[in-house]
């Protein structure tokens, strides 16, 4: 999904009409968290769980785990799931999370660390060929999975339809960004 910086780029490339149509759809606005990217997926072969860091294409290997212990805490946590929880996890579902090893994972310092150092941000559903078929970002679904997995729920700032005042404010804000870029 687009951040506010990227929204101005979309406005420039696609135009005002495109943004106005976008603003007529239901929107979900989440905080852009400063944690490290981490995800896991139950594989199609053997029900194994693979772990991923920022590079979502190559799983974290055993050699990676020996040389770099940064992700060991969330990996050990997920490996400790009960058999009941492991059975609930569908094959091909990749659970995207923000990992917080401490209160200041990268640049921003937070007041607390999320439950089990993880915060569920999205779920990508893949078919047996690795193609994405759906991305789950709906609050109710994410909250259900976060609770089942024992991790923190993603902080949603806004979800729903924008009212007219919000649309006007955002369009004015985007217009000002475009104007500043041209100066």
């Amino acid at each position: 999904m687009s951040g506010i910086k990227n929204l101005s780029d979309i406005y420039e490339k696609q135009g005002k009409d495109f943004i106005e149509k976008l603003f007529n759809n239901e929107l979900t606005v989440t905080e852009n968290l400063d944690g490290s990217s981490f995800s896991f997926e139950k594989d199609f072969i053997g029900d194994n769980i693979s772990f991923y860091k920022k590079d979502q294409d190559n799983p974290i290997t055993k050699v990676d785990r020996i040389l770099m212990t940064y992700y060991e805490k969330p990996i050990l946590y997920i490996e400790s799931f009960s058999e009941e929880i492991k059975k609930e996890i569908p094959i091909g579902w990749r659970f995207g999370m923000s990992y917080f090893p401490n209160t200041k994972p990268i640049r921003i310092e937070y007041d607390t660390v999320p439950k089990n150092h993880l915060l569920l941000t999205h779920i990508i559903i893949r078919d047996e060929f690795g193609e994405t078929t759906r991305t789950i970002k709906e609050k109710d679904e994410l909250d259900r999975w976060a609770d089942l997995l024992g991790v923190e729920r993603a902080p949603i700032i806004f979800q729903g339809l924008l009212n007219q005042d919000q649309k006007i404010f955002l369009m004015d804000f985007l217009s000002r960004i475009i104007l500043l870029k041209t100066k």
Side-chain angles (χ1 to χ4, degrees), residues 24-170:
N24 286 326
N25 294 311
E26 185 165 317
L27 301 174
T28 300
V29 179
T30 59
E31 180 180 352
N32 187 9
L33 299 163
D34 197 38
S36 300
S37 293
F38 176 78
S39 61
F40 74 92
E41 178 178 348
K42 188 188 278 186
D43 300 333
F44 280 92
I45 300 170
D47 285 349
N48 295 319
I49 294 179
S50 294
F51 303 98
Y52 299 84
K53 51 188 174 182
K54 189 173 186 171
D55 169 13
Q56 294 292 305
D57 295 326
N58 301 304
I60 297 171
T61 66
K62 290 182 183 189
V63 172
D64 291 335
R65 289 178 68 180
I66 291 168
L67 296 175
M68 176 193 64
T69 61
Y70 184 77
Y71 289 102
E72 200 61 19
K73 192 179 290 186
I75 290 171
L76 290 174
Y77 173 71
I78 291 163
E79 288 179 336
S80 75
F81 285 165
S82 69
E83 288 304 314
E84 294 83 41
I85 292 174
K86 288 178 183 176
K87 286 179 186 173
E88 288 280 326
I89 298 169
I91 292 171
W93 283 37
R94 186 169 299 181
F95 293 83
M97 302 188 183
S98 284
Y99 170 52
F100 292 77
N102 52 48
T103 56
K104 190 175 180 183
I106 301 175
R107 292 174 299 275
I108 298 172
E109 184 155 4
Y110 294 88
D111 293 335
T112 61
V113 172
K115 186 181 350 176
N116 293 307
H117 300 269
L118 294 167
L119 193 143
L120 182 64
T121 58
H122 64 283
I123 302 168
I124 296 173
I125 301 173
R126 299 174 185 272
D127 63 20
E128 61 273 15
F129 305 108
E131 298 296 320
T132 300
T133 60
R134 180 175 171 228
T135 300
I136 297 173
K137 287 197 169 253
E138 292 80 19
K139 180 175 175 29
D140 293 343
E141 185 78 5
L142 289 177
D143 287 352
R144 185 178 81 74
W145 280 103
D147 293 346
L148 178 72
L149 300 174
V151 299
E152 198 80 27
R153 295 173 170 196
I156 292 182
I157 297 167
F158 175 84
Q159 187 166 42
L161 295 171
L162 296 172
N163 65 36
Q164 196 59 33
D165 289 340
Q166 292 167 323
K167 292 176 191 177
I168 291 168
F169 176 84
L170 287 170

Side-chain angles (χ1 to χ4, degrees), residues 7-28:
L7 199 53
S8 65
D9 294 336
I10 294 170
Y11 184 100
E12 278 184 298
K13 292 175 185 164
Q14 301 290 326
K16 181 179 177 182
D17 290 342
F18 180 85
I19 296 294
E20 286 175 345
K21 287 178 187 172
L22 180 69
F23 285 170
N24 286 326
N25 294 311
E26 185 165 317
L27 301 174
T28 300

